[in-house]
């Protein structure tokens, strides 16, 4: 327990998670932010999953939790993105942190095999949705003369990949992050991106095990073998701790940064 986010209100977009054995980036970040004193608006397309996150926080922190609210939203719809900002203001009166943790690679494939409609679907979630959530919190943060926006990108934006759309969308997230950082620096609004590497999260493990019809442990072992740092994937907590730093006043002079959280994979690949 700490007070690094005391008095701050955070929106966690993607605050639920897929079912699985481990914790996802969004849920871990919500828990870490709450532990450090933040009030939370948990946004997810699944009300059930967002409620699970809120219940976990309430159980762990009890009266130490500063307060939370749930909003079901589809970030590919601008009306829903506008509602995210409005709901946070209605309940908490300010927006200090926007944590964008929504993305997908399902349906992606090689360039000649990529269906144009599927391209649009993935881009709508990974890039357009992030742009729209940012768009609607910026007027509030500008008025406050403060705010921290954290976008979840991926080391796939730099590393080689066999599929085209996820990598392209995450590369665009990096560019969006840098643009928003410079555009809004005069208003005291910071914008940074976290680039996770191979993580042991439900989204990463469950689908791959299911699609390949192999055990989770086989998937984990293969992924662990690719990580330079101790031969072990990261977890949702590693992303959460990076996000905590970027959200806090400790990072008050940090903006436009693309922060790899990857156990050395980008360095290793050169």
């Amino acid at each position: 327990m700490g007070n690094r986010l005391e008095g701050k209100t955070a929106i966690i977009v993607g605050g639920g998670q897929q079912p699985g054995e481990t914790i996802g980036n969004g849920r871990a970040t919500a828990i870490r932010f709450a532990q450090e004193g933040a009030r939370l608006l948990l946004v997810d397309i699944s009300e059930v999953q967002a409620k699970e996150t809120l219940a976990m926080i309430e159980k762990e922190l009890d009266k130490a939790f500063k307060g939370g609210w749930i909003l079901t939203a589809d970030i590919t719809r601008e009306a829903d993105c506008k509602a995210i900002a409005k709901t946070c203001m209605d309940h908490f009166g300010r927006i200090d942190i926007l944590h964008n943790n929504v993305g997908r690679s399902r349906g992606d494939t090689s360039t000649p095999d990529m269906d144009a409609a599927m391209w649009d679907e993935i881009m709508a979630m990974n890039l357009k949705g992030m742009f729209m959530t940012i768009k609607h919190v910026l007027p509030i943060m500008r008025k406050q003369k403060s705010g921290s926006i954290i976008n979840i990108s991926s080391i796939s934006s730099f590393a080689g990949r066999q599929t085209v759309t996820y990598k392209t969308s995450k590369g665009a997230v990096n560019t969006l992050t840098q643009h928003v950082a410079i555009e809004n620096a005069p208003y005291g609004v910071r914008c940074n991106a976290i680039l996770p590497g191979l993580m042991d999260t439900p989204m990463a493990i469950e689908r791959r095990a299911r699609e390949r019809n192999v055990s989770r442990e086989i998937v984990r072992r293969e992924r662990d073998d690719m990580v330079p740092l101790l031969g072990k994937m990261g977890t949702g907590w590693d992303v959460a701790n990076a996000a905590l730093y970027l959200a806090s006043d400790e990072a008050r002079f940090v903006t436009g940064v693309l922060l790899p959280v990857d156990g050395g994979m980008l360095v290793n690949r050169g």
Side-chain angles (χ1 to χ4, degrees):
M1 308 290 185
N3 58 3
R4 293 163 75 185
L5 300 183
E6 193 69 36
K8 295 186 185 294
T9 296
I11 299 171
I12 310 286
V13 183
Q17 71 172 55
Q18 297 177 14
E21 299 174 329
T22 54
I23 195 162
N25 297 331
R27 179 167 288 173
T29 300
I31 293 170
R32 286 297 288 125
F33 282 13
Q35 289 171 338
E36 293 293 333
R39 301 178 298 178
L40 302 177
L41 174 63
L42 299 177
V43 180
D44 204 277
I45 198 164
S46 167
E47 182 181 10
V48 170
Q49 292 169 4
K51 281 184 173 178
E52 284 177 1
T53 302
L54 184 60
M56 289 174 69
I57 294 168
E58 289 173 338
K59 182 178 179 181
E60 179 186 331
L61 299 184
D62 196 19
K63 293 178 182 177
F65 183 35
K66 305 301 182 183
W69 197 259
I70 297 292
L71 180 66
T72 306
D74 177 353
I75 64 161
T76 65
R77 298 182 46 192
E78 185 165 15
D80 286 20
C81 293
K82 187 174 182 180
I84 291 170
K86 183 179 186 303
T87 299
C88 195
M89 290 301 290
D90 287 348
H91 287 279
F92 300 116
R94 61 183 297 113
I95 302 172
D96 299 291
I97 302 154
L98 170 65
H99 183 78
N100 276 317
N101 181 68
V102 174
R104 61 174 274 197
S105 60
R106 179 174 46 83
D108 202 5
T109 187
S110 65
T111 307
D113 295 327
M114 190 66 208
D115 178 73
M118 181 59 72
W119 165 283
D120 289 343
E121 225 178 275
I122 296 172
M123 281 291 186
M125 177 174 287
N126 292 8
L127 180 61
K128 186 180 177 182
M130 201 170 283
F131 148 67
M132 292 191 297
T133 59
I134 292 170
K135 170 186 173 179
H136 289 288
V137 302
L138 272 178
I140 295 155
M141 288 183 169
R142 285 181 171 193
K143 189 175 181 181
Q144 292 172 174
K145 294 287 186 184
S146 68
S148 174
I149 298 168
I150 304 162
N151 299 324
I152 300 299
S153 180
S154 169
I155 64 165
S156 292
S157 58
F158 290 110
R161 192 175 173 93
Q162 293 178 323
T163 57
V164 62
T165 320
Y166 184 80
K167 176 181 175 65
T168 305
S169 67
K170 291 302 187 179
V173 166
N174 295 349
T175 305
L176 174 66
T177 298
Q178 293 170 327
H179 172 80
V180 171
I182 293 304
E183 177 188 59
N184 294 280
Y187 301 96
V189 178
R190 299 183 296 109
C191 187
N192 297 287
I194 296 172
L195 282 56
L198 296 178
M199 314 304 288
D200 191 349
T201 61
M203 192 172 97
I205 302 300
E206 301 295 329
R207 178 172 64 84
R208 286 173 174 85
R210 187 170 59 250
E211 287 178 355
R212 293 173 54 193
N213 195 27
V214 298
S215 73
R216 299 178 184 93
E217 290 315 308
I218 288 176
V219 176
R220 286 192 173 101
R221 190 159 56 247
E222 291 173 351
R223 288 163 66 88
D224 283 343
D225 287 345
M226 291 187 277
V227 180
L229 188 62
L230 296 176
K232 195 78 174 171
M233 283 185 289
T235 73
W237 299 113
D238 296 308
V239 172
N241 287 326
L244 174 60
Y245 166 68
L246 293 173
S248 75
D249 292 339
E250 295 160 27
R252 65 169 201 86
F253 204 53
V254 177
T255 195
V257 164
L258 308 177
L259 175 62
V261 178
D262 70 345
M265 286 190 70
L266 280 183
V267 176
N268 193 46
R269 292 179 178 184

